[in-house]
Amino acid sequence: MSRNVRKMNCTPDAVFRVLASGWLYPSWVVGASRMRQVDDEWPQPGSRLHHSVGVWPVLLDDTTSMEKWDPPRQAVMKARGWPIGEARVTIDVKPSGTGCLVRIQEEPVSGPAKAVPPFAADPMLYLRNAETLQRLAYLAEGTLREDVSSGAD
């Protein structure tokens, strides 16, 4: 299982506002290239994001479903990426000083990726998820700045 942690200069609520906006998914998830549809119920458990993975002209249509939604503490998603397989992605958020700590854990749960030994898969997942957290931070911290400048809570 790959784990990454990043300190963000925003509240846990700001992180969860980004996660709750399904249309932003390709903005922070490395590998997701476009959104096709967001279920009206997103981010409630059982709802799905319909996205594409890859780069044109080689795009694969797939989905990510929400398994657990517990803002502002935890979100658990099952990301499909067939033919590679499916992964469970857990995002935990904890307040830390004036910001928060965000941890992302990813583990393959089905398909060929599950057969890849962790010593081979984890370094690549670590690098990918470091960039994913950086993108999530840009969005969440930017959301906070917009709230402050507009006078919103």
Side-chain angles (χ1 to χ4, degrees):
M1 177 185 313
S2 175
R3 290 185 183 100
N4 296 67
V5 177
R6 182 180 176 105
K7 171 91 164 115
M8 296 189 188
N9 296 314
C10 61
T11 64
D13 287 327
V15 173
F16 274 81
R17 279 196 299 271
V18 173
L19 299 178
S21 179
W23 290 103
L24 289 177
Y25 187 78
S27 300
W28 62 273
V29 174
V30 174
S33 55
R34 67 179 178 192
M35 289 304 301
R36 299 183 335 274
Q37 180 183 345
V38 175
D39 285 0
D40 290 339
E41 300 81 21
W42 184 263
Q44 296 309 308
S47 62
R48 296 187 306 167
L49 300 174
H50 305 264
H51 55 80
S52 299
V53 177
V55 179
W56 185 91
V58 183
L59 289 170
L60 300 173
D61 291 343
D62 232 319
T63 61
T64 292
S65 59
M66 186 65 71
E67 292 188 340
K68 181 178 180 184
W69 180 249
D70 183 22
R73 291 171 289 282
Q74 186 180 65
V76 180
M77 295 171 264
K78 186 183 285 183
R80 293 175 41 97
W82 286 95
I84 296 168
E86 296 179 353
R88 178 162 291 108
V89 178
T90 302
I91 299 173
D92 293 298
V93 184
K94 294 182 180 181
S96 176
T98 59
C100 61
L101 289 176
V102 180
R103 179 179 69 185
I104 187 170
Q105 299 179 113
E106 182 173 349
E107 65 178 316
V109 294
S110 67
K114 189 167 171 64
V116 177
F119 74 86
D122 285 356
M124 291 187 315
L125 289 174
Y126 181 84
L127 292 173
R128 191 188 101 187
N129 286 334
E131 175 65 18
T132 290
L133 284 180
Q134 181 172 342
R135 293 176 183 190
L136 181 58
Y138 286 151
L139 291 168
E141 292 168 356
T143 298
L144 177 66
R145 283 189 280 283
E146 290 173 12
D147 289 350
V148 170
S149 66
S150 70
D153 290 328

